[in-house]
Structure formats: structure tokens, C-alpha cells
Amino acid sequence: MSESMTQRVGWTREQMAQRVAQDIENGSYVNLGIGIPELVAKFVPEGRTLIYHTENGLLGMGPSPEEGEGDPELINAGKKQVSAIPGAAYFHHADSFSMIRGGHLDLCVLGALQVAQNGDLANWSTGEEGAIPAVGGAMDLVAGVKKIYVITQHTTKTGEPKLVESCTYPLTGLGVVTRVYTDLAVIDVTPDGFRLVELTPGADFAYVQERTGAQLLPLSH
Amino acid sequence: MSESMTQRVGWTREQMAQRVAQDIENGSYVNLGIGIPELVAKFVPEGRTLIYHTENGLLGMGPSPEEGEGDPELINAGKKQVSAIPGAAYFHHADSFSMIRGGHLDLCVLGALQVAQNGDLANWSTGEEGAIPAVGGAMDLVAGVKKIYVITQHTTKTGEPKLVESCTYPLTGLGVVTRVYTDLAVIDVTPDGFRLVELTPGADFAYVQERTGAQLLPLSH
Amino acid sequence: MIDKQISSPAEAVRDVFDGATVMVGGFGEAGSPIELIHALIDQGSKDLTIVSNNTGSGEVGLAALLKAGRVRKFICSFPRTANSTVFPELYRAGKCELELVPQGTLAERIRAGGAGIPAFYTPSAVGTPLAEGKESREFDGREYVMEHGLKADFAFVKGRSADTYGNVVYNKTARNFGPIMAMAAKVSIVQVESVVEPGGIDPESVVSPGIFVSRVVEVAEPAHESELIAAGVSYP
Amino acid sequence: MIDKQISSPAEAVRDVFDGATVMVGGFGEAGSPIELIHALIDQGSKDLTIVSNNTGSGEVGLAALLKAGRVRKFICSFPRTANSTVFPELYRAGKCELELVPQGTLAERIRAGGAGIPAFYTPSAVGTPLAEGKESREFDGREYVMEHGLKADFAFVKGRSADTYGNVVYNKTARNFGPIMAMAAKVSIVQVESVVEPGGIDPESVVSPGIFVSRVVEVAEPAHESELIAAGVSYP
């Protein structure tokens, strides 16, 4: 993006992840999606313990193992090798999705292709001709987890807004997203639409609104 | 009954149980109801291994423990203390009834209040005014287990037939019983109704028919 | 820092409120969380709906809770047992409502409640009085009845051991309804003989993962219903 | 005398027939019963419907079965992965049908198939293309879609250890779909690293009770998909 060549506006991926981490309460059961969401685990504030769920059957997921220490049968939903913390538990897929569907997880942090102002999420398919459709556990997560946060770049690589009036891509779930963390701002999905919660360094309201495909309500105090 | 005072006609409870045991194939997964059905386990022919399921969460139920050896937390569906064989497994109630409802058990042997000629079974309630209704797992067993045998006295204590044209007591299940073992005969439930399979010592066709509340078809060869 | 251990049964059941639905584990005396039930008797909440396979024996545990007049409704598969006189008397006197559910349907409804399944179809009870008034439907030529998931405000469960994250293992056939009730309740309270540190339970052998368990409380030597009855105990 | 041990993967999959539905455990390479899949490739049956979370990577395991042209239809939640080219090519060429199912719905459908539940309601996929054409219904003001139980003729599952009665334990996240697929198939075939005598597995820790398992076969040192791919293996 042109901004980064002159003076950086907004947050890096790590800063986005760090900001999300601040909003997660001690003791939460959390499922982190593949990609930027995975970074969140690195920034959990001192004194808080989170328990990570991975839908392929592990509660108490720990960090990646040291080189050569991994087990190809201990992986996360992204199929990367992970570890298990003391106090972990393994279970089968029906039990794992009972946790999800049954509303037992406190939070899921997901990436997005598009988020609509009513909380609709599209994150599994661009609906492209000839693409192989693949959904995984995304639809179950958004339907079942208590709170869905999205972490995403504010716009696509070509500058198209990802926060929109209504999604044009196939939906993952209806009205499921409660908060969006982007490189430019933290934005809540409210009954009135998108509402700005926090700006990032160098980004003002107009700057964020310009890059948002729906009306943005100002900070409320 | 008057017969027993002169010359015994038919089988004792043990003989009934023994006769049932002969019809159970090696390797079967079997659930035995409370009462006479429990006796079946004592008469399994040499060389056959059956695996007993008790719906309160044990596959591989073994005999009653020696006096003082029992565990109040190792019981059967009749709430009597039992043991677990090597190769047993414990599980929770939803898994236990998945075995039952999912058609994984080969055979269930139950007692009966009434069996109708179309296989309907009544075995949980006499519908009596003021009685406390209690059903337990009977309705799940008859709906799910592959084969339902009934073992019962041919008539009630007052001489009323228990094999009838249609049940007058509240039903446990519709068309579920395939074979009935009584003190007087072995009788199949067929599309044409009750058919005699085997007579017991001292009982001839007329004798059994007289004590049966529906038409009895003769032995077919 | 996560520590779900609570100091006493009294403390663990402190916030049960009037009118709450409480699932209580156990099949007969196996798995019956007697100390939690007795703490609930002491605690005083009333108009409770209890979901449990049986209604208790003698005058301890569930039978004592019933006797204390605290149960408005009982959801149950088998409300009579050898030594059970309390429930039958209340029921005949019209003082306690009963919803009778086949045992497997009860288990599946509880599991569905915990798994976010609002309703499912089962062949159990088709054509019987227990299917009366229920919606039925054919699949592949066979008739099934629709049953609803069942949830609760609290679950009282008895395990063998737990860690402070709430992972629980059970003892033999005392497992029964515990794991699914823990799933189906907003607040799941598990009494165990010993609470250990995280790592003290093999993650391959955990039966109730901690996410289903809100509180664990140590009762090192839990009473057995049959022993209390044999000793002539009537609680409180 | 009960002994479910079979001498070899080839013998274990001998009776898979043309047109059979086969559930195959595994999530990525974890829990993928590669030796059973390879035995099925050798065995020759075709027009198969495969139920598995992924479609395999490289040219081993499920991808090799697909490449051999033996799969008519795939029921799956995520049919593309980093090293997966076989399925995408077949799919684009119209040579393999795909039924895409959300992962949790897939798991629950399999579990329902094994548990005798013909249909259930789930909130997953409501309002999305994957709910199109499906019956929906409101419960307590929320919309749900109806999904059907899923059964199979065979299940191929990878465990860690089993006894000769068919009780199985698993390894870490390789457990995934194995236990529910074993429930949902008429004939469940489990490959394990070691087969032990009854009594060799703690009854409290059994994950798949033997009633769900038809055959166990020892594969002492099972291959991992990633290692085969790294070694350039293309099966057969």
C-alpha cells in the first residue's frame, strides 16, 4: 500500500493481534482462526491464562514445538504441528463441535473476506468460477461461539473495502461479528451499523471512513 | 399353579433361561433385562463368549462380586453390584444409548406383561390408577436393538394369558418382539402371528393354545 | 491463572436460585453427588426443576431434597426404586410434577442441549403413551418422534478426580449422566475425591474436558446412598 | 472366544464392494489410515463414496485413491490443502462429485448416523449457500437447518492401540473423526500400532468401545503422509 512507502499509517499485523489480545478476559476459552488470528496467542497480557481450542480435537493447545520435537498427529486446525499444555484434553470431532455449537467457547477470532455492517461475515469463498469450495469449521464457529471477533486488513490488496454495507461473497454466517480489528481501526458492529471504537496512529475518522464501504459512526463517549 | 402340585408341566425359570442361551451366537453383544433375563448369562454354552451391555455405562459386564468385594459405583441397570471383565469399557449415558438406538446391540432379552401377535410389547406399566409411572431404558432398547426376545411365564399368576391378540396395557414398542420363551413353549412372532417353535415336557399344542390369548400356528417343518 | 476449585460444597452451590433447573448426575446411587445435594438442602432454594434418572432412595440425597419440599418438577426416566417412598407420596399428593422420559431419550436430550442441537428425531417411544402429543415424522419409511434438547441452569456431578482447569475423570458406572449434564448446564459443579494440578490427568483419558466444568470441589470421602440408608440417616 | 484381529490390511478390506460408502478417518495427515487406504487401492473396488474431512495430499493415501479413479463422490468439509492437486483436477474435470458439508455438521451427521438419530437441527450454515435447498425451522426464535444422519458400509480408522475385543485408544489429535466413524459404519476397520489382549487397555480410558469396531489390524509402524510426500512417494 502506498502509505507504507511514505509514513506508516496504522498497525502492523502484530500490533493488530496485540490489540485483540488486550480484549480477552482471563480464563477464556478461545479458538483462533488460521493466519493473523494465530498471532493473538503471542500477545496475551501477563497474568492472564487463556485456553486455546482447536476444532480438530484439543483443548489446551500450546505453541509450536521445537524443530524435530513435533508429532505429526498433534496438529492444529491449520494442520501445523503444535503442543499440548499441562491440563490439556483430547476428544473426538463430535465432542469438539459440541463445544463450538453448544456455546461453550467464549471467543473466536477469525479472518474475513468481507464483514457487513449488520455483522454478516464472508470468509470462506470468493464464489469464483472453478474454485474448489472448502468451508472447514468456519460456519460452525460463527454459529456457535459466544463472541466472534474479526481481525483483518482494512482493505484488500487492491484497495477494495472489506467492511461493507452488505457482503457480495457467499456468507459464512448471518449477523455474527461483534467487533472488527483492522490495521486502521477497531470497529464495533452495533444495531446502528459500524461504530468506531479506536483509531490507530496516523489514521483519523475521515481516513478510515474513506476506506470503509459502509457508513462509519463516530466514537461515542 | 395347579400343574406344579401334580406333575410339573413345562420349564423352570432356569430351564427357560438355558433355552434362550442356546439361541445366542458367539460374539454377540447382549443386553439382559431385570429378572428372569438375568439368568440367561449363567447358561451360555461352552465355547461361546458373549459381551454384556448394561445401559448405565458398561460393556463387558461380569458376574456379581463376592460378598464384600463390590463397588457401589459398579452396578448394572437393576442397580445390583456387578463386576467388569478384562476387555470391558465404561462410557457415559449418551454413548450407551447410541449403542442401543444405533442398532449396535445384537440382542436384548426382556420380561413382559403382554406380547401381542404382531410383536407389540407391553412391559413397563399396567396403567393402574395411582401407580408411579417408570419406564427406564425399555423403550429405547426395543426401538434400537437388532433382536428382541421375551422371556416370561406363559400366563400371569392368576392364569391370564400374556400372549394376546393385542396388548391392553400401555405399549413399550410396536412390533418389536421376534421370539417369546415361556415356561410352556418357544413361540415366534411371524407376519402370520404366533407360531409354535418348540414345546416343553408335558405341554402339547392344545395345552399351550388354551393358555394363549391369540391363535397359535402349529410347528412348521 | 485459572483455578476452578471451590472450597466447599456449600460455597459451590451458593448461587442456585429459586426456580432453577438443576441436573443431578447419578444412576441409582452410582454417581449421585450426595454432598452437593445436601449442601443444596442447607442452602434453601426452592421451586426447583430437577433432571435426574431416578428420584432417590430413603431420606438422603435426592429423596431428602424432595422431602424438604423444594422440588416443583422432576424430569426423570425411572422415579421408583426399592427404597423410594418420598417421591411416590409427593406425586400421588399432587405436590410434585413429573415429566417421564425414556432413559435414552433423556440422555440424548441432555447431550443435545449441551451440543447446541435444539431438536432431533428418535425411534424410541413411537406408538407409546410417551409419544402422545409429540410431533412425529417418517424417515426412510420408519416413524420417529421429535424431541427437544434439554438445558439447565446448574449441573451437580460426581467425579473421581479433577484438575484445577476442570478436567474430570469418573469412577466406573458412576460416570453415567455426569459428562452430558456437565455439557448442558450453564454452571456445572463437580464434586471429586481429589483435585490435582493441571497435568495431573492424562489428556488422552479426560472424560469431561474443563470447558464443560465451572467449579470443582473436593469431597475426599463421599458417602454412598446405600450406606447412609443402612445407617438410618435421614437428612438433614 | 472373540478375536477381531485380522492378519493384514489387505485381508481387512477384502470385502469392500463397488459402490460402497467408506468413511475414512483423519484430519489432514493426523489419523489418516494410509495402510488401509493403500490396501483398498490394491483391492480394486470402484465407484466409491468417500466421507472424509479432507481429500488428501500429494499422491498417497486418499489422493492416491482419487488418482486411481475409484471415487465417484466425496463428502467433505475441506477438499483443498497445500499439497492437494488430485482432487481439484478431478473436480474441475467433472470426474468426482463433491458434497461440501460444514465440519461440525459433518461430525454431527456421522455421530447421528451411529447413534440411530435420522435427523437433527443445527444453527450452522443458516443463511449461507450450504443451507440452500435444506429444510429450516425456528426454535425459540432462532433459525436452524435440518440435517440427516450419515451412515457408511465401511469405516477406515487409525488408532494407537486396540485389544482383540475391538476396544480402541487413539493418539492425540489423530483421534478426530475415528470414534464417530467407527459408530456409523456397518463394518469398522481400525489399524493400530499394537493389538493387545483383553484387559490390556484400562476400561476407563477406552475411547471406542469394541461394539463399534468390527476388525482390528496391526500396522506397527504406520507411514505419515507428510513423510511419504517428502520422500517423493506416489502410490502405488
Side-chain angles (χ1 to χ4, degrees):
Chain A
M1 278 174 263
S2 62
E3 286 83 16
S4 62
M5 306 208 204
T6 55
Q7 193 182 348
R8 169 141 208 128
V9 174
W11 284 330
T12 62
R13 290 155 49 103
E14 283 70 20
Q15 287 170 320
M16 290 157 68
Q18 187 166 20
R19 180 62 190 80
V20 172
Q22 286 168 23
D23 286 353
I24 311 178
E25 280 174 51
N26 180 50
S28 293
Y29 290 94
V30 179
N31 183 297
L32 299 176
I34 300 167
I36 312 186
E38 291 178 80
L39 298 176
V40 171
K42 295 190 181 177
F43 297 103
V44 174
E46 189 79 24
R48 290 187 211 172
T49 305
L50 308 188
I51 305 270
Y52 298 104
H53 171 268
T54 179
E55 59 263 37
N56 54 314
L58 167 61
L59 195 67
M61 179 174 67
S64 306
E66 299 292 311
E67 184 70 29
E69 297 286 295
D71 181 335
E73 299 205 316
L74 177 46
I75 61 175
N76 67 9
K79 306 195 173 79
K80 287 200 273 287
Q81 293 186 11
V82 294
S83 58
I85 64 167
Y90 297 108
F91 33 82
H92 63 56
H93 248 81
D95 282 348
S96 184
F97 280 84
S98 291
M99 295 175 189
I100 292 172
R101 198 188 310 99
H104 302 281
L105 285 161
D106 297 298
L107 175 68
C108 180
V109 184
L110 288 171
L113 293 167
Q114 293 177 324
V115 179
Q117 60 189 355
N118 65 354
D120 288 358
L121 173 68
N123 81 340
W124 69 285
S125 166
T126 56
E128 211 180 311
E129 194 74 29
I132 307 300
V135 67
M139 289 185 181
D140 309 285
L141 285 161
V142 301
V145 176
K146 283 180 201 149
K147 219 159 36 180
I148 305 292
Y149 288 171
V150 159
I151 184 167
T152 179
Q153 301 299 330
H154 205 86
T155 57
T156 66
K157 281 177 190 159
T158 57
E160 298 295 315
K162 297 179 104 179
L163 283 73
V164 295
E165 286 192 351
S166 72
C167 297
T168 56
Y169 293 146
L171 291 182
T172 308
L174 296 179
V176 294
V177 177
T178 55
R179 181 169 270 201
V180 185
Y181 300 79
T182 77
D183 51 330
L184 301 184
V186 179
I187 293 168
D188 271 351
V189 175
T190 75
D192 302 323
F194 291 128
R195 180 175 293 281
L196 186 65
V197 172
E198 192 174 320
L199 286 165
T200 58
D204 62 13
F205 182 85
Y207 186 91
V208 178
Q209 174 67 77
E210 197 182 323
R211 285 157 181 81
T212 302
Q215 200 199 333
L216 190 62
L217 301 168
L219 283 162
S220 66
H221 294 284
Chain B
M1 276 176 262
S2 61
E3 287 81 17
S4 64
M5 306 208 202
T6 53
Q7 193 180 350
R8 169 141 209 127
V9 174
W11 286 328
T12 62
R13 290 155 50 103
E14 283 70 20
Q15 288 170 318
M16 291 158 67
Q18 187 165 19
R19 180 62 190 79
V20 171
Q22 286 169 23
D23 286 352
I24 310 179
E25 280 174 51
N26 179 50
S28 293
Y29 290 93
V30 179
N31 184 297
L32 299 176
I34 299 167
I36 313 185
E38 291 178 79
L39 298 176
V40 172
K42 294 191 181 176
F43 297 104
V44 175
E46 189 80 26
R48 291 187 211 170
T49 305
L50 308 188
I51 305 270
Y52 298 105
H53 171 266
T54 180
E55 59 263 36
N56 54 314
L58 167 60
L59 194 67
M61 179 175 68
S64 306
E66 299 292 311
E67 184 71 29
E69 296 287 295
D71 181 336
E73 300 206 314
L74 176 46
I75 61 175
N76 67 10
K79 306 193 174 84
K80 286 200 273 286
Q81 293 186 11
V82 294
S83 57
I85 63 167
Y90 297 108
F91 33 83
H92 62 56
H93 248 80
D95 282 348
S96 184
F97 281 84
S98 291
M99 295 175 189
I100 292 171
R101 198 189 309 100
H104 301 281
L105 286 161
D106 297 299
L107 176 67
C108 179
V109 184
L110 288 171
L113 294 167
Q114 292 176 325
V115 179
Q117 58 188 356
N118 66 352
D120 288 358
L121 173 69
N123 82 339
W124 69 284
S125 165
T126 56
E128 210 180 310
E129 194 73 30
I132 307 300
V135 67
M139 289 186 181
D140 309 284
L141 284 162
V142 301
V145 176
K146 283 180 201 149
K147 221 160 36 180
I148 305 292
Y149 288 170
V150 158
I151 185 166
T152 179
Q153 300 299 331
H154 204 86
T155 57
T156 65
K157 282 178 190 160
T158 58
E160 298 296 314
K162 297 180 105 179
L163 283 72
V164 295
E165 287 192 353
S166 72
C167 298
T168 55
Y169 293 145
L171 292 182
T172 308
L174 296 179
V176 294
V177 177
T178 56
R179 181 170 269 201
V180 185
Y181 299 80
T182 77
D183 51 329
L184 301 185
V186 180
I187 292 169
D188 272 351
V189 176
T190 74
D192 302 322
F194 290 127
R195 181 175 292 281
L196 186 65
V197 172
E198 192 175 319
L199 286 165
T200 57
D204 62 14
F205 182 86
Y207 186 92
V208 179
Q209 174 65 78
E210 199 181 323
R211 286 157 180 80
T212 303
Q215 200 199 335
L216 190 61
L217 301 168
L219 283 162
S220 67
H221 293 281
Chain C
M1 170 72 180
I2 299 173
D3 185 355
K4 297 187 179 178
Q5 185 167 10
I6 303 290
S7 58
S8 69
E11 188 60 21
V13 307
R14 190 181 33 83
D15 53 352
V16 176
F17 49 86
D18 290 354
T21 295
V22 185
M23 291 179 173
V24 181
F27 180 92
E29 70 175 324
S32 179
I34 292 191
E35 285 73 12
L36 291 176
I37 301 168
H38 288 177
L40 182 62
I41 293 174
D42 300 342
Q43 185 258 17
S45 56
K46 56 184 194 296
D47 288 327
L48 302 171
T49 294
I50 301 291
V51 182
S52 195
N53 191 64
N54 308 102
T55 54
S57 297
E59 296 186 355
V60 296
L62 282 175
L65 183 70
L66 280 159
K67 186 149 192 251
R70 310 273 282 285
V71 183
R72 191 182 60 74
K73 180 178 177 182
F74 219 109
I75 301 178
C76 181
S77 96
F78 206 84
R80 62 174 138 83
T81 28
N83 293 311
S84 132
T85 55
V86 176
F87 179 80
E89 279 165 23
L90 289 170
Y91 178 74
R92 287 201 191 94
K95 288 182 178 160
C96 187
E97 204 181 319
L98 169 67
E99 180 179 341
L100 189 69
V101 183
Q103 196 173 138
T105 298
L106 182 62
E108 190 66 12
R109 288 182 63 192
I110 295 167
R111 190 259 174 201
I117 303 292
F120 60 90
Y121 294 91
T122 173
S124 302
V126 167
T128 79
L130 297 194
E132 272 167 26
K134 289 179 181 167
E135 202 176 308
S136 77
R137 177 161 175 166
E138 231 177 71
F139 294 96
D140 287 332
R142 187 175 181 192
E143 197 182 340
Y144 296 84
V145 291
M146 190 174 83
E147 293 282 356
H148 291 86
L150 200 53
K151 295 188 200 184
D153 299 301
F154 297 87
F156 289 6
V157 169
K158 182 186 187 184
R160 177 162 49 91
S161 179
D163 66 23
T164 52
Y165 283 5
N167 294 300
V168 179
V169 290
Y170 295 83
N171 181 40
K172 305 188 178 79
T173 58
R175 187 183 303 194
N176 58 66
F177 284 89
I180 51 176
M181 288 180 168
M183 288 171 66
K186 284 195 203 90
V187 176
S188 297
I189 307 167
V190 184
Q191 67 167 74
V192 292
E193 291 170 37
S194 67
V195 177
V196 300
E197 290 300 305
I201 298 178
D202 177 0
E204 298 280 12
S205 301
V206 169
V207 176
S208 286
I211 193 169
F212 295 135
V213 174
S214 319
R215 302 169 190 169
V216 298
V217 58
E218 201 168 273
V219 177
E221 294 183 3
H224 294 294
E225 208 174 80
S226 58
E227 290 163 7
L228 293 179
I229 293 171
V233 175
S234 174
Y235 198 86
Chain D
M1 171 71 179
I2 299 173
D3 186 355
K4 297 186 179 179
Q5 185 167 11
I6 304 290
S7 57
S8 68
E11 187 61 21
V13 307
R14 190 180 35 80
D15 54 352
V16 176
F17 49 86
D18 291 354
T21 295
V22 185
M23 290 179 174
V24 180
F27 180 91
E29 70 175 324
S32 180
I34 292 193
E35 285 73 13
L36 292 176
I37 301 168
H38 287 177
L40 183 62
I41 293 175
D42 300 343
Q43 185 256 17
S45 56
K46 55 184 194 296
D47 289 327
L48 302 170
T49 295
I50 301 292
V51 182
S52 195
N53 191 64
N54 307 102
T55 54
S57 296
E59 296 186 354
V60 296
L62 282 176
L65 183 70
L66 280 160
K67 186 150 191 252
R70 310 274 282 285
V71 183
R72 190 181 61 72
K73 181 178 177 182
F74 219 109
I75 302 177
C76 182
S77 95
F78 206 83
R80 62 175 139 82
T81 26
N83 294 309
S84 132
T85 56
V86 175
F87 179 80
E89 279 164 23
L90 289 170
Y91 178 74
R92 286 200 192 92
K95 288 182 178 161
C96 187
E97 205 181 319
L98 170 67
E99 181 178 341
L100 189 70
V101 184
Q103 197 173 137
T105 298
L106 182 63
E108 190 66 13
R109 288 181 62 192
I110 295 167
R111 191 256 173 202
I117 303 292
F120 60 90
Y121 294 89
T122 174
S124 302
V126 166
T128 78
L130 296 194
E132 273 167 25
K134 289 179 182 167
E135 203 176 308
S136 76
R137 180 162 174 162
E138 230 176 72
F139 294 96
D140 286 332
R142 187 176 181 191
E143 197 183 340
Y144 296 83
V145 291
M146 190 175 82
E147 292 282 355
H148 291 86
L150 200 53
K151 295 188 200 186
D153 299 301
F154 297 88
F156 289 7
V157 169
K158 182 186 188 183
R160 176 162 51 91
S161 179
D163 66 23
T164 52
Y165 284 2
N167 295 300
V168 180
V169 290
Y170 295 83
N171 181 40
K172 305 186 177 78
T173 58
R175 185 183 304 193
N176 58 67
F177 284 90
I180 51 176
M181 287 181 168
M183 289 172 66
K186 285 196 201 89
V187 177
S188 298
I189 308 167
V190 184
Q191 68 167 70
V192 291
E193 290 170 37
S194 67
V195 177
V196 301
E197 290 299 307
I201 297 177
D202 177 1
E204 298 279 12
S205 301
V206 168
V207 176
S208 286
I211 195 169
F212 295 135
V213 174
S214 319
R215 302 169 189 169
V216 298
V217 57
E218 202 169 273
V219 176
E221 294 183 3
H224 293 294
E225 209 174 77
S226 56
E227 290 163 8
L228 293 178
I229 293 170
V233 174
S234 174
Y235 198 85

